[in-house]
Amino acid sequence: MFNTIVFEKRDRKAYIMFNRPDTHHALSREMLTELTAAVRECALDEEIRVVILSGGREKAFSSGADLKEGLADTRLGNVLKEVYNPLILGLRGLKKPVICRMNGLAAGAGMSLALACDVIIAADDAYFSELFVGIGLMPDAGSMFFLPRLIGPLRAFELCSTGRKVYMEEAVQIGLVNKAVPKDQLDAEVEALADRYASAATQSIGIMKQVLNQSFNKDLEEVLHLEAEGQTICGQTEDFAEGVMAFLTKRQPVFKGK
């Protein structure tokens, strides 16, 4: 079904793995289109409760845009609107948690793609780089949105305007990733978290993700309203009823994501 990614579903989890190792998983038009289609399938499949995005066993998560495809059309914004933005919006709009399994370097739009995920667990020898400035461009695919929200405008400007490498010790310290672990522990860490999400109250996580997406763009009163609306929806789910019953009977809840 896909040429540039590997897409698998098992145990209520979806695994989306980049599959262009000869280019360090550079993001081609075909790959971006396939990633968007896979994310859309995850949204529609009620059995899927968590998504894991990964560069597999390679040394790169993604090296960024595939410049070898050519830049005949210098109106680069058209490319962003056509193939990058739908993917980023799809990841942020997905009402399920998305884990980035950052196995190696994430550069340029590859960094943007990692930052669009909900949780980043990285190998401790990986690094980030907003390398756009090195070819006379500015960060795109969401980096200008995510970075200042994660690390503040001063650090965001510095990383964007220098393109320097950010290794995992610093990335953890400034809040760019959730956790960095030795590479031989990466799968275990990701799977442990994915298992937790696969058995969690998926609808409540999806609603809280939607509210968090808007929290920097709303004032307090507006966020209070979103919380109230979201809580009403959560309170009508099967998982809420199960959670309360489990609490009252002092047992572990068995959530169905409904």
Side-chain angles (χ1 to χ4, degrees), residues 38-144:
V39 170
R40 188 177 298 118
E41 185 170 339
C42 292
L44 296 173
D45 190 334
E46 294 183 357
E47 294 298 313
I48 293 174
R49 310 270 287 279
V50 59
V51 178
I52 299 95
L53 200 62
S54 170
R57 303 296 171 189
E58 304 301 320
K59 65 179 182 180
F61 174 74
S62 172
S63 58
D66 188 349
L67 297 180
K68 292 182 180 179
E69 281 197 331
L71 299 174
D73 185 356
T74 57
R75 295 169 297 180
L76 301 181
N78 291 341
V79 179
L80 290 171
K81 292 175 183 177
E82 290 171 14
V83 291
Y84 282 89
N85 295 0
L87 173 58
I88 301 302
L89 291 171
L91 287 169
R92 294 311 309 162
L94 186 64
K95 296 178 183 178
K96 302 168 185 181
V98 181
I99 302 171
C100 171
R101 177 188 174 278
M102 189 175 154
N103 52 287
L105 72 94
M111 178 172 176
S112 302
L113 192 53
L115 298 181
C117 298
D118 300 304
V119 179
I120 303 175
I121 300 179
D124 60 7
D125 61 350
Y127 67 85
F128 285 117
S129 173
E130 291 282 14
L131 48 66
F132 296 90
V133 70
I135 56 172
L137 294 177
M138 60 179 284
D140 58 28
S143 271
M144 303 289 279

Side-chain angles (χ1 to χ4, degrees), residues 93-221:
L94 186 64
K95 296 178 183 178
K96 302 168 185 181
V98 181
I99 302 171
C100 171
R101 177 188 174 278
M102 189 175 154
N103 52 287
L105 72 94
M111 178 172 176
S112 302
L113 192 53
L115 298 181
C117 298
D118 300 304
V119 179
I120 303 175
I121 300 179
D124 60 7
D125 61 350
Y127 67 85
F128 285 117
S129 173
E130 291 282 14
L131 48 66
F132 296 90
V133 70
I135 56 172
L137 294 177
M138 60 179 284
D140 58 28
S143 271
M144 303 289 279
F145 179 88
F146 300 120
L147 265 182
R149 285 163 172 77
L150 289 169
I151 63 175
L154 292 178
R155 283 198 178 104
F157 178 80
E158 187 242 329
L159 296 190
C160 290
S161 61
T162 65
R164 70 173 178 84
K165 295 178 181 179
V166 181
Y167 291 95
M168 288 304 102
E169 182 177 0
E170 180 183 2
V172 171
Q173 181 182 8
I174 66 177
L176 267 182
V177 302
N178 296 83
K179 183 180 288 190
V181 299
K183 205 156 201 170
D184 61 359
Q185 298 176 24
L186 183 59
D187 283 332
E189 288 285 346
V190 170
E191 284 300 313
L193 183 58
D195 286 340
R196 179 169 185 167
Y197 283 137
S199 59
T202 310
Q203 284 202 52
S204 68
I205 291 174
I207 293 169
M208 69 177 71
K209 178 174 174 177
Q210 288 182 307
V211 175
L212 286 169
N213 281 342
Q214 301 181 65
S215 63
F216 279 89
N217 307 318
K218 306 286 186 183
D219 61 27
L220 175 58
E221 186 174 355

